[in-house]
Amino acid sequence: MKSTALTQQSLVRRLGRALTISVLAIWLLSTALVAWFVDSQIQENFDVELVESAHRQLYPALLELQITRPHLSIQAALAEVAAGDPQVMGELPGSNHSEPLLLQLRSSTGQVLVRTKATPASPFAVPLHPGFFDAQDFRVFSLYDAEYGVWLQLADPLEERKEASQRTVIGLSLVLLVMLPVMTWLVTTVARRELRSVGVLQRQIAARSGSNLQPLSVEGMPLELRMVGDDVNQLLERLSEALKVERSLAANAAHELRTPLAEVRLRLQTAVDKAMQGAVQRSGSQALAVPLEEVRAALHSLEVLSHRTERLLQLSRAEGGDQAHFAQVNLVQLAEQVAQEFWQQSHAQKRLDCITPLAHDAVWVWGDIDSLAIVLRNLIDNALRHSTGAVVLEVQAEPDAAVIVRDSGAGLTPAQIQMIQQRHVRMDRQHIGYGLGMSIVTTIAEKHGAQLVFTSPPAGMAHGLEVALHFTQAAAAAHALNDAGSA
């Protein structure tokens, strides 16, 4: 249940929470680093002040001895103080320091000679060496004067430094606490504003259906959403193409199969009626003789139905062709395989000739081998049905890769060439063909970026038709792959 609830949270809330936590973590780390840096600066400033104060207080402490003993020199005064108790430095009239100075003037042997009023009489628990040393409650700076052979030690209470650092950390923390709600609101507001494009994209996708496959509008959207929108548009395009193929197949089937089915039904009904009439004329005999010509007519209608069904399936495959299945195709090998299929049929054994480049050199193109086989079968089948002479299947390697089907039939006029490339148009009603076959060839040629060229009559012939499929782009793609593979 918990995981389900998490998945149902809005992206704005999840993003706002994640960003707030991330910014808060970075802010806390930054605060800690700033506090450390400020503390180090505070300690450094205290140390600098301690050094400066030590240098300023050295000679006033010595002068304090001479002032209280005007008849003695500083050296004699030091000797006299060393024989008794430490002298306490006086303060200037009107002095009111909230942080009293902790000072000790010590001899080279460590004896306290002079101290301030707030300073303990016992020596600081630090060695007599120049520099800084930390005692239990103080940070002490020691300064040596070689002229008089004395040490001045100035102490700074650690509690004072600690309080200064704490005030800095508390100030930074208060700023963080005050700004945290503002930061949370700002992150959520910015996330909601920037994610409006997601809602726009979602509403566009929700509006799409089988009747509305228009591409999504991704103008002005962030790069990531634009990439998602482009991918969805590609999916919608493929879906639209699939629906178009499905609708086209249904329309073509309704157009092409209605007449053959009605004809088969009529022929069979006619054969049954004639058989019934013949039985009645033979005095009610139950032995029904079906007229042979009607059976043959029904079989012919079934052949037409089968042929058109096959063409419809080929057309559906051609229109739904996906270039994801494209690969290198050897036109020489493909032509020989298709020719072998026709040579197994009696009506094509002595009429079909296959011409390939010398030494059976491979002619490579980029395409779908099954679709290209459909093209060759349709072209050869049309040539055999619409001519009585020889049919030539030729593979050409130069100047560009091409397959050519040439017949010696009556040929076609330019107007007829334009007409046969349209669906449901047949030039010869006595043969099955030129209805969908050339439309299939044209569709597959377009899918392969190939050029379909009709020539009637072919060069050097008095009549006939030549159909050539030139693979300029497909051949270039195949050559590029071959060069990359050999490299």
Side-chain angles (χ1 to χ4, degrees):
M1 295 295 293
K2 185 177 180 180
S3 60
T4 304
L6 287 177
T7 58
Q8 293 177 349
Q9 290 181 356
S10 68
L11 182 58
V12 172
R13 180 176 299 178
R14 295 179 63 181
L15 186 60
R17 183 178 60 187
L19 288 176
T20 301
I21 293 175
S22 300
V23 172
L24 180 60
I26 294 175
W27 196 335
L28 289 175
L29 179 60
S30 301
T31 301
L33 293 175
V34 170
W36 169 82
F37 177 76
V38 171
D39 180 71
S40 64
Q41 293 299 310
I42 290 174
Q43 300 300 327
E44 183 177 353
N45 290 336
F46 272 103
D47 287 345
V48 170
E49 292 180 1
L50 199 60
V51 172
E52 292 178 355
S53 297
H55 284 87
R56 288 196 303 265
Q57 294 298 326
L58 175 61
Y59 290 102
L62 293 173
L63 189 59
E64 179 81 13
L65 293 175
Q66 192 174 23
I67 290 175
T68 56
R69 297 170 179 80
H71 58 284
L72 299 177
S73 65
I74 292 179
Q75 292 287 0
L78 288 172
E80 181 178 326
V81 172
D85 295 331
Q87 180 175 332
V88 178
M89 291 183 63
E91 296 182 358
L92 294 176
S95 298
N96 185 16
H97 299 289
S98 59
E99 299 175 354
L101 187 65
L102 302 180
L103 180 148
Q104 287 183 349
L105 185 68
R106 301 173 63 181
S107 65
S108 58
T109 59
Q111 181 181 1
V112 177
L113 303 176
V114 178
R115 66 180 180 85
T116 56
K117 185 177 181 181
T119 305
S122 59
F124 293 125
V126 295
L128 291 177
H129 292 293
F132 291 96
F133 299 93
D134 289 333
Q136 182 176 1
D137 299 321
F138 305 100
R139 181 169 176 80
V140 181
F141 176 72
S142 300
L143 176 65
Y144 180 68
D145 183 82
E147 181 180 356
Y148 298 103
V150 293
W151 289 90
L152 179 77
Q153 290 185 325
L154 200 61
D156 194 12
L158 294 178
E159 185 66 24
E160 180 184 352
R161 298 183 176 218
K162 183 178 179 181
E163 289 178 358
S165 298
Q166 287 178 345
R167 287 195 300 270
T168 301
V169 173
I170 292 174
L172 292 174
S173 300
L174 289 176
V175 172
L176 175 60
L177 291 176
V178 171
M179 294 301 298
L180 183 58
V182 178
M183 180 183 64
T184 303
W185 172 83
L186 183 62
V187 167
T188 304
T189 302
V190 172
R192 183 178 292 108
R193 185 187 64 188
E194 295 299 324
L195 290 177
R196 286 176 184 170
S197 300
V198 177
V200 173
L201 190 63
Q202 183 270 333
R203 287 190 291 273
Q204 290 189 63
I205 295 175
R208 296 304 181 267
S209 62
S211 59
N212 179 16
L213 294 177
Q214 295 296 320
L216 305 176
S217 176
V218 294
E219 291 296 329
M221 290 189 178
L223 175 61
E224 294 79 5
L225 292 182
R226 195 158 59 244
M227 293 174 63
V228 172
D230 291 340
D231 291 340
V232 172
N233 285 338
Q234 293 179 10
L235 178 61
L236 290 175
E237 183 179 357
R238 290 194 294 268
L239 182 58
S240 177
E241 186 69 21
L243 290 176
K244 186 185 300 181
V245 170
E246 179 182 348
R247 292 165 183 165
S248 176
L249 177 60
N252 291 329
H255 181 277
E256 288 292 322
L257 301 183
R258 184 185 300 111
T259 301
L261 285 172
E263 188 174 353
V264 170
R265 184 169 61 250
L266 179 61
R267 293 291 185 182
L268 292 176
Q269 185 63 46
T270 301
V272 171
D273 292 343
K274 288 185 177 181
M276 294 292 292
Q277 291 176 3
V280 171
Q281 292 174 0
R282 290 192 294 272
S283 302
S285 174
Q286 294 301 318
L288 303 179
V290 180
L292 182 60
E293 66 275 10
E294 296 298 334
V295 174
R296 287 176 176 172
L299 288 175
H300 178 73
S301 298
L302 287 175
E303 183 183 357
V304 172
L305 179 61
S306 175
H307 185 271
R308 292 189 184 178
T309 302
E310 180 183 358
R311 287 293 189 266
L312 285 173
L313 294 176
Q314 289 179 353
L315 180 61
S316 177
R317 176 183 176 86
E319 291 180 336
D322 189 356
Q323 293 190 359
H325 301 292
F326 279 25
Q328 294 186 81
V329 178
N330 184 359
L331 291 181
V332 173
Q333 182 180 7
L334 176 62
E336 292 176 347
Q337 291 177 352
V338 174
Q340 287 289 343
E341 295 178 9
F342 279 93
W343 285 335
Q344 295 176 8
Q345 304 174 20
S346 58
H347 70 283
Q349 285 179 350
K350 297 181 179 180
R351 294 181 56 197
L352 178 61
D353 188 17
C354 182
I355 302 175
T356 58
L358 297 177
H360 299 282
D361 292 338
V363 179
W364 296 101
V365 296
W366 183 254
D368 180 13
I369 188 171
D370 293 330
S371 297
L372 294 179
I374 291 174
V375 169
L376 295 185
R377 294 190 190 102
N378 277 289
L379 292 178
I380 295 173
D381 184 64
N382 283 335
L384 291 173
R385 289 179 180 274
H386 294 273
S387 67
T388 57
V391 175
V392 176
L393 171 61
E394 181 180 355
V395 178
Q396 175 181 286
E398 295 178 352
D400 53 16
V403 287
I404 302 170
V405 176
R406 186 185 306 112
D407 64 56
S408 56
L412 298 174
T413 65
Q416 290 173 331
I417 290 176
Q418 293 294 328
M419 189 179 299
I420 64 172
Q421 298 181 67
Q422 302 175 13
R423 295 181 186 176
H424 316 301
V425 175
R426 291 187 292 277
M427 301 305 302
D428 186 354
R429 294 291 177 177
Q430 297 179 356
H431 295 86
I432 303 171
Y434 281 154
L436 290 173
M438 295 309 299
S439 176
I440 294 170
V441 171
T442 303
T443 302
I444 294 177
E446 292 175 353
K447 293 289 185 180
H448 286 74
Q451 184 180 8
L452 192 63
V453 179
F454 294 84
T455 305
S456 181
M461 297 177 61
H463 52 80
L465 176 65
E466 177 182 288
V467 183
L469 195 62
H470 296 270
F471 296 88
T472 304
Q473 300 178 2
H479 285 309
L481 283 177
N482 279 333
D483 295 340
S486 59

